[in-house]
Amino acid sequence: MMLSKVFALVALVVTLVSATPAAKSTRVLGELQRHLAQPAVPKEYVTGNARTIGYRFRTRIDHFNPQNRDTFEFSYFSNDELYRPGGPIFIFVGGNFPLTTYYVEHGLLYDTAARDGAWLFTNEHRYYGGSSPVADYSTENLRFLKSEQALMDLIEWIDHLRTNLVRDPNAKVILMGIGYAGALATWARQRFPNIIDGAWGAGATVMASFDFQEHAGDVGNMIRWFGGDECYSLLWVAFRTAQYLIDAERDETVTTLLNTCEPIAPGSLLDVETLFFHLKLAIQDAMLNDQSTSKIHDVCSSMVNATEETALQHLASWLNVYYANLPCNPFDFAANMEAAQVLQPGAPENALLALRQTQYQACTEFGWFRTTDLDEQPFGDRVTMHFFLSACRALFGEWITDAVIYDGVRLTNWHYGGQDPRSTHVLFTNGELDPNRLVSITSYTNPQSNAFVVPNEFVYAEIYSISEEDSAELATVKRNVQQYIGLWQGEGFTPA
């Protein structure tokens, strides 16, 4: 079953609270975290499988400091309903989202487990959901939130599964993950080929990027393809008109049109950048969240066919309908940082939306900051690295500089290889219409490895069960995924 929204969990929580302007601050931070995409789970889903059982696993908080013996527990689920003695272990790897049992009970990995007699598991990543290793998420306490620590959690847990649950130390281990979790899966195979027999990363964001300016260009291309040149041009003119008005000190005209809660503070570059970030965010949300090219066309039609006089008025009219449930739009910088300054691990901002944690990883390891620095895109040029650096510093302290972010990105790519990981037994899949494919791997040749791009699909269409509704290309990719999983277990391979 193909789900309509990838960020269903985030969307659900935001919907529950979005009747107030303060809750709007989760939207901009939610966008900042979308390089770490969350899996879609149907709202009506409730596990009814008696063989799906929850456990806790205890491991060290700091795997790399022998003087620190502190430990914590993270949650995981086991489903042995399909297991046949001697079968493999399949793991849906946890990432920047709360633990869910859905993917050990549904989807292509589950279907492949039925074929292979696999025991299914899924884990919760440290600091996410209910698996916190610290009392609060102060900046000091976030120092153990690193991908390398998470990889060691994963490997120690797998050793425990083989030894104590499956009780087969020779069981083959296959990992699968999406987005950041997909990157973790492939990095685990790269680092521990003696333990991991194969890894599939769907939309795996393996390449850290200081300035992910290409994202705006890719969204702009989709607007041209599915919304038309007139829509692209309208947005281009509207954004630049707003910029020129603000430059001419006519910012009241802009803030009145856009119904902002606060005026732009005189000389406040951050408020200007936040405003333009929100405009870009609103358009991307409206066009892409339904994972439908027809939605892009519909949004463009509503803008182009508006009766207002100017392009900026067209955009403002559409925006105020889109945010009609809010009395005003809190587009100022300070309001938009509040949600990620919550320190309690159990608060919804952290336990469900994972706002503070994902921002910390972005600021210290991955970047993926979606600027408008690229010339060939319609969203103006006011969302720069200054905005993202300021967000990192507002959330975590003045110690974060552009050099800190740049070094984090550079070291991540050094450690894992970026788009040239030189790993074997790995598979990368991406949707042709997913802008994050630009920081994934879309072409890869190595022993028992490959990369597939699914034509005319957005994100993660390939992780669901094979369906009569699948295009021929999508069905072929799904069958090839199953073939590679079999190959990693020592079976033969016949391309689909």
Side-chain angles (χ1 to χ4, degrees):
M1 175 180 62
M2 181 58 194
L3 302 175
S4 63
K5 289 191 177 183
V6 175
F7 306 105
L9 179 61
V10 173
L12 172 61
V13 176
V14 171
T15 298
L16 292 174
V17 298
S18 62
T20 64
K24 186 64 174 58
S25 63
T26 63
R27 280 187 174 271
V28 68
L29 290 160
E31 169 64 13
L32 287 173
Q33 74 171 358
R34 288 188 184 179
H35 55 275
L36 300 172
Q38 301 193 5
V41 176
K43 294 178 183 179
E44 68 277 7
Y45 167 72
V46 177
T47 180
N49 191 332
R51 304 304 293 271
T52 300
I53 302 172
Y55 297 91
R56 300 278 285 181
F57 177 70
R58 181 168 292 278
T59 188
R60 290 173 59 190
I61 293 177
D62 187 352
H63 294 283
F64 304 106
N65 181 2
Q67 298 181 38
N68 185 345
R69 310 306 296 177
D70 294 340
T71 62
F72 81 106
E73 290 183 337
F74 65 80
S75 299
Y76 70 94
F77 279 101
S78 159
N79 178 7
D80 67 350
E81 68 168 315
L82 306 173
Y83 180 68
R84 296 190 295 271
I89 293 171
F90 285 4
I91 296 175
F92 182 80
V93 177
N96 62 308
F97 43 83
L99 187 63
T100 175
T101 59
Y102 185 79
Y103 291 97
V104 296
E105 297 180 351
H106 301 275
L108 191 65
L109 188 70
Y110 176 85
D111 298 341
T112 312
R115 180 196 72 180
D116 296 346
W119 195 321
L120 287 151
F121 294 93
T122 185
N123 67 300
E124 191 163 61
H125 190 296
R126 59 168 54 205
Y127 284 87
Y128 291 96
S131 296
S132 175
V134 292
D136 64 65
Y137 289 160
S138 62
T139 301
E140 173 68 14
N141 280 347
L142 291 172
R143 68 190 185 278
F144 304 115
L145 177 53
K146 290 185 66 67
S147 58
E148 290 150 316
Q149 298 279 8
L151 285 175
M152 289 305 302
D153 293 344
L154 187 65
I155 294 304
E156 287 202 350
W157 172 60
I158 289 170
D159 181 66
H160 165 74
L161 298 180
R162 275 175 157 174
T163 303
N164 298 314
L165 262 73
V166 179
R167 297 185 179 180
D168 180 358
N170 298 313
K172 300 286 187 180
V173 178
I174 306 297
L175 305 184
M176 180 264 174
I178 66 167
Y180 164 56
L184 285 176
T186 62
W187 293 338
R189 165 62 192 177
Q190 178 194 57
R191 293 291 185 88
F192 304 98
N194 58 316
I195 298 172
I196 308 303
D197 294 281
W200 166 30
T205 48
V206 297
M207 186 181 77
S209 175
F210 182 71
D211 180 348
F212 190 14
Q213 58 185 267
E214 298 84 1
H215 186 279
D218 205 58
V219 174
N221 288 336
M222 284 192 278
I223 292 172
R224 281 192 188 276
W225 297 336
F226 305 112
D229 288 341
E230 187 177 1
C231 181
Y232 183 99
S233 297
L234 183 147
L235 291 171
W236 194 98
V237 172
F239 272 79
R240 282 156 180 81
T241 300
Q243 291 179 182
Y244 298 152
L245 287 170
I246 291 172
D247 290 346
E249 298 183 352
R250 294 180 59 191
D251 46 273
E252 286 187 13
T253 301
V254 177
T255 56
T256 299
L257 278 172
L258 300 180
N259 190 32
T260 64
C261 296
E262 300 290 339
I264 295 174
S268 175
L269 176 59
L270 276 178
D271 280 352
V272 171
E273 290 183 313
T274 306
L275 182 146
F276 283 102
F277 186 91
H278 258 296
L279 291 181
K280 175 175 174 286
L281 163 62
I283 294 163
Q284 289 176 186
D285 271 354
M287 290 184 175
L288 303 182
N289 274 3
D290 281 352
Q291 307 287 295
S292 167
T293 57
S294 62
K295 184 65 173 181
I296 299 174
H297 177 270
D298 292 345
V299 172
C300 277
S301 293
S302 66
M303 291 185 188
V304 169
N305 295 327
T307 58
E308 282 74 13
E309 293 183 4
T310 69
L312 178 57
Q313 288 173 327
H314 281 229
L315 175 58
S317 176
W318 173 85
L319 181 78
N320 289 320
V321 171
Y322 186 65
Y323 288 147
N325 61 326
L326 298 177
C328 61
N329 295 318
F331 288 177
D332 57 293
F333 181 77
N336 283 285
M337 294 298 105
E338 291 175 2
Q341 291 172 330
V342 175
L343 303 185
Q344 293 78 16
E349 292 88 344
N350 295 323
L352 294 179
L353 297 179
L355 296 178
R356 187 166 176 82
Q357 308 96 298
T358 51
Q359 301 334 304
Y360 184 80
Q361 289 195 275
C363 296
T364 58
E365 285 194 89
F366 303 125
W368 293 310
F369 296 121
R370 298 173 177 182
T371 71
T372 55
D373 290 340
L374 191 72
D375 290 336
E376 295 300 319
Q377 49 82 25
F379 304 112
D381 59 11
R382 297 302 164 90
V383 184
T384 69
M385 279 302 301
H386 173 264
F387 170 73
F388 296 101
L389 172 60
S390 298
C392 290
R393 300 183 80 173
L395 297 177
F396 306 114
E398 297 297 312
W399 62 276
I400 294 188
T401 64
D402 54 356
V404 169
I405 298 174
Y406 181 80
D407 284 347
V409 167
R410 180 172 56 92
L411 290 173
T412 296
N413 289 331
W414 275 3
H415 289 168
Y416 302 122
Q419 291 178 317
D420 184 20
R422 304 190 183 187
S423 300
T424 62
H425 293 214
V426 291
L427 185 64
F428 301 94
T429 59
N430 286 276
E432 182 185 28
L433 303 180
D434 177 13
N436 281 346
R437 77 188 184 285
L438 301 174
V439 290
S440 184
I441 292 176
T442 55
S443 178
Y444 192 72
T445 303
N446 235 351
Q448 299 189 21
S449 303
N450 213 328
F452 299 106
V453 176
V454 188
N456 301 313
E457 294 290 348
F458 287 85
V459 292
Y460 312 144
E462 69 276 19
I463 75 174
Y464 302 101
S465 298
I466 295 173
S467 164
E468 293 181 354
E469 298 177 359
D470 292 345
S471 66
E473 295 88 350
L474 176 57
T476 296
V477 168
K478 290 180 178 181
R479 286 192 290 269
N480 277 328
V481 168
Q482 292 187 311
Q483 290 271 15
Y484 271 96
I485 291 174
L487 178 66
W488 297 331
Q489 298 172 65
E491 301 173 7
F493 180 75
T494 304

